[in-house]
């Protein structure tokens, strides 16, 4: 072998990379300490970009095509290397291939609950997960902030690196969108599209990637908050206590002798008994002896006795319902009551009005 042939073997004349893995994001072309020949051919395929790095600085960037490396098409590298008048000798330079195709179906999720301010619940802890698609759009930024000098940076490494960053950007975007947690479940796809304009500037500016699709598959709250939501839903379903009792009574009558009708039937009986009691109760200013006397009030409650009122317990006993049902009707505004000191009292007139309703 002649010296010329030996020298030729030590020079790189063609630079190209074919990716069979389908999961490589960036690849540092191995030079084996050889030098790149002046006039070498650089081959960049579709869905690839090539970034030159010289003396620790990002130099020229090449898109798809066949490129001849000369002073004319590597101006940044020429400046870094000090080639003011062209160059003839070989040179060393790191060559990074970047895969710019779309990478789909990448998973993201919160490892721990994130704190959020919510319009309905105030400060609440949320968990969320979903998928996203992305592509590399700024090779120097991606190499600097994500891949580094890794010779073969793969998708699994990217997922580990970016998971917490995606969650951080998602949290900030969700806070900026001001969407209540209760509305998120019915707007998963819409919310994902709405968050893209908020997520992408941060992802492109910080990491050199573009999120093309962001899918929110689930957002959940802690169990205690779920119980509160269930309780709130139950109250919304029950609504007016009087109407609810009537509904239960109608359902029980339709079911015939089913044992499940026992409670509504008892409540209906309680309403009937209470109505009969109201007929016999003396009204304020009337003769106290005309009719039945209501159950005795607690001893010492002279003010209440003078106003001709019932305690919630007495009202519950008269209606054959629980004290909680009476208080719920009071809270809903269906049964009128008033506060006397620290006690709640219900007038006979208010109870009659409730029964007629």
């Amino acid at each position: 072998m002649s010296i010329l042939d030996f020298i030729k073997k030590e020079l790189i004349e063609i630079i190209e990379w074919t990716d069979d893995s389908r999961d490589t994001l960036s690849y540092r072309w191995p030079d084996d300490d050889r030098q790149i020949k002046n006039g070498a051919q650089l081959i960049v395929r579709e869905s690839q970009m090539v970034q030159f790095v010289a003396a620790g600085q990002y130099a020229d960037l090449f898109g798809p095509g066949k490129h001849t490396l000369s002073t004319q098409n590597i101006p940044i590298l020429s400046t870094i290397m000090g080639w003011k008048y062209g160059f003839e000798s070989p040179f060393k330079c790191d060559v990074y291939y970047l895969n710019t195709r779309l990478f789909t179906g990448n998973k993201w999720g919160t490892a721990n609950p994130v704190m959020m301010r919510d319009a309905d619940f105030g400060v609440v802890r949320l968990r969320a997960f979903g998928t996203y698609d992305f592509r590399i759009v700024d090779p120097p930024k991606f190499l600097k902030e994500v891949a580094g000098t890794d010779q073969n940076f793969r998708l699994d490494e990217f997922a580990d690196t970016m998971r917490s960053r995606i969650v951080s950007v998602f949290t900030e975007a969700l806070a900026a969108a001001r969407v209540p947690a209760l509305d998120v479940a019915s707007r998963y796809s819409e919310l994902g599209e709405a968050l893209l304009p908020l997520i992408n500037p941060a992802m492109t500016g910080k990491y050199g990637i573009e999120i093309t699709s962001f899918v929110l598959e689930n957002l959940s709250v802690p169990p205690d908050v779920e119980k509160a939501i269930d309780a709130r839903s139950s109250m919304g379903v029950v609504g007016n206590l009087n109407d609810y009792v009537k509904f239960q009574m109608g359902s029980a009558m339709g079911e015939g002798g089913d044992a499940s009708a026992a409670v509504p039937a008892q409540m209906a009986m309680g309403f009937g008994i209470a109505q009969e009691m109201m007929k016999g109760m003396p009204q304020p200013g009337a003769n106290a002896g005309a009719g039945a006397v209501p159950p005795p009030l607690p001893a010492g409650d002279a003010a209440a006795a003078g106003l001709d009122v019932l305690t919630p317990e007495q009202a519950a006993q008269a209606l054959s319902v629980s004290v909680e049902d009476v208080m719920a009707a009071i809270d809903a505004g269906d049964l009128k009551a008033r506060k006397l000191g620290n006690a709640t009292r219900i007038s006979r007139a208010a109870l009659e009005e409730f029964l007629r309703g």
Side-chain angles (χ1 to χ4, degrees), residues 134-173:
F134 78 96
R135 62 163 54 95
I136 300 171
V137 293
D138 188 342
K141 184 75 68 175
F142 180 80
L143 289 173
K144 179 180 178 182
E145 301 295 340
V146 183
T149 58
D150 196 324
Q151 180 170 357
N152 192 2
F153 188 73
R154 305 176 77 91
L155 191 58
D156 55 351
E157 299 176 76
F158 173 85
D160 294 338
T161 303
M162 294 301 296
R163 183 175 290 112
S164 61
R165 303 180 189 182
I166 289 284
V167 170
S168 175
V169 173
F170 162 75
T171 304
E172 295 173 2

Side-chain angles (χ1 to χ4, degrees), residues 220-262:
S220 60
V221 296
D224 292 344
V225 178
E226 289 184 355
K227 291 179 182 178
I229 294 174
D230 292 340
R232 182 174 177 177
S233 300
S234 299
M235 289 300 295
V237 171
V238 171
N240 185 289
L241 180 62
N242 195 14
D243 292 341
Y244 177 70
V245 171
K246 291 177 182 178
F247 169 76
Q248 291 285 69
M249 290 167 60
S251 299
M253 293 174 65
E255 292 174 4
D258 193 333
S260 64

Side-chain angles (χ1 to χ4, degrees), residues 20 28 30 48 152 183 201 213 231 262 270 318 340:
D20 298 327
R28 179 160 51 86
Q48 290 182 347
N152 192 2
D183 295 341
S213 173
L340 295 175

Side-chain angles (χ1 to χ4, degrees), residues 87-98:
F87 75 100
E88 297 297 334
S89 60
F91 65 96
K92 286 191 63 66
C93 182
D94 289 328
V95 180
Y96 287 90
Y97 275 85
L98 294 104

Side-chain angles (χ1 to χ4, degrees), residues 51-64:
Q51 176 68 61
F52 276 53
V53 181
Q57 300 180 54
Y58 291 101
D60 301 278
L61 180 67
F62 294 89

Side-chain angles (χ1 to χ4, degrees), residues 62-327:
F62 294 89
K66 186 175 182 180
H67 309 275
T68 299
L69 301 181
S70 61
T71 309
Q72 288 73 26
N73 64 0
I74 49 175
I76 301 176
L77 186 61
S78 298
T79 301
I80 294 173
M81 302 296 286
W83 299 323
K84 297 181 181 180
Y85 308 105
F87 75 100
E88 297 297 334
S89 60
F91 65 96
K92 286 191 63 66
C93 182
D94 289 328
V95 180
Y96 287 90
Y97 275 85
L98 294 104
N99 198 334
T100 58
R101 74 173 182 86
L102 189 64
F103 290 87
T104 61
N106 304 280
K107 297 184 181 298
W108 66 272
T110 55
N112 298 300
V114 294
M115 302 292 289
M116 295 286 296
R117 289 189 180 276
D118 186 78
D120 296 311
F121 305 114
V123 178
V124 65
R125 291 178 293 119
L126 300 177
R127 288 182 179 273
F129 64 84
T131 60
Y132 66 97
D133 305 338
F134 78 96
R135 62 163 54 95
I136 300 171
V137 293
D138 188 342
K141 184 75 68 175
F142 180 80
L143 289 173
K144 179 180 178 182
E145 301 295 340
V146 183
T149 58
D150 196 324
Q151 180 170 357
N152 192 2
F153 188 73
R154 305 176 77 91
L155 191 58
D156 55 351
E157 299 176 76
F158 173 85
D160 294 338
T161 303
M162 294 301 296
R163 183 175 290 112
S164 61
R165 303 180 189 182
I166 289 284
V167 170
S168 175
V169 173
F170 162 75
T171 304
E172 295 173 2
L174 186 61
R178 299 179 181 274
V179 180
L182 290 178
D183 295 341
V184 170
S186 62
R187 301 169 58 186
Y188 279 156
S189 59
E190 177 186 345
L191 183 61
E193 294 178 3
L195 289 178
L196 274 180
L198 301 175
I199 292 175
N200 263 326
M203 299 308 297
T204 303
K206 292 181 179 179
Y207 310 117
I209 65 172
E210 177 190 13
I211 305 294
T212 60
S213 173
F214 189 83
V215 179
L216 177 62
E217 295 181 1
N218 179 267
L219 187 142
S220 60
V221 296
D224 292 344
V225 178
E226 289 184 355
K227 291 179 182 178
I229 294 174
D230 292 340
R232 182 174 177 177
S233 300
S234 299
M235 289 300 295
V237 171
V238 171
N240 185 289
L241 180 62
N242 195 14
D243 292 341
Y244 177 70
V245 171
K246 291 177 182 178
F247 169 76
Q248 291 285 69
M249 290 167 60
S251 299
M253 293 174 65
E255 292 174 4
D258 193 333
S260 64
V263 174
Q266 291 175 3
M267 295 180 70
M269 184 181 298
F271 275 110
I273 294 173
Q275 287 174 331
E276 291 300 320
M277 289 176 61
M278 291 298 107
K279 292 178 182 178
M281 284 186 179
Q283 299 303 313
N287 185 357
V293 178
L297 298 175
D301 200 346
L307 289 174
D308 192 18
V309 296
L310 300 174
T311 66
E313 290 77 9
Q314 290 170 322
Q317 182 179 1
L319 298 176
S320 294
V321 297
S322 68
V323 177
E324 289 76 11
D325 290 337
V326 172
M327 297 305 295

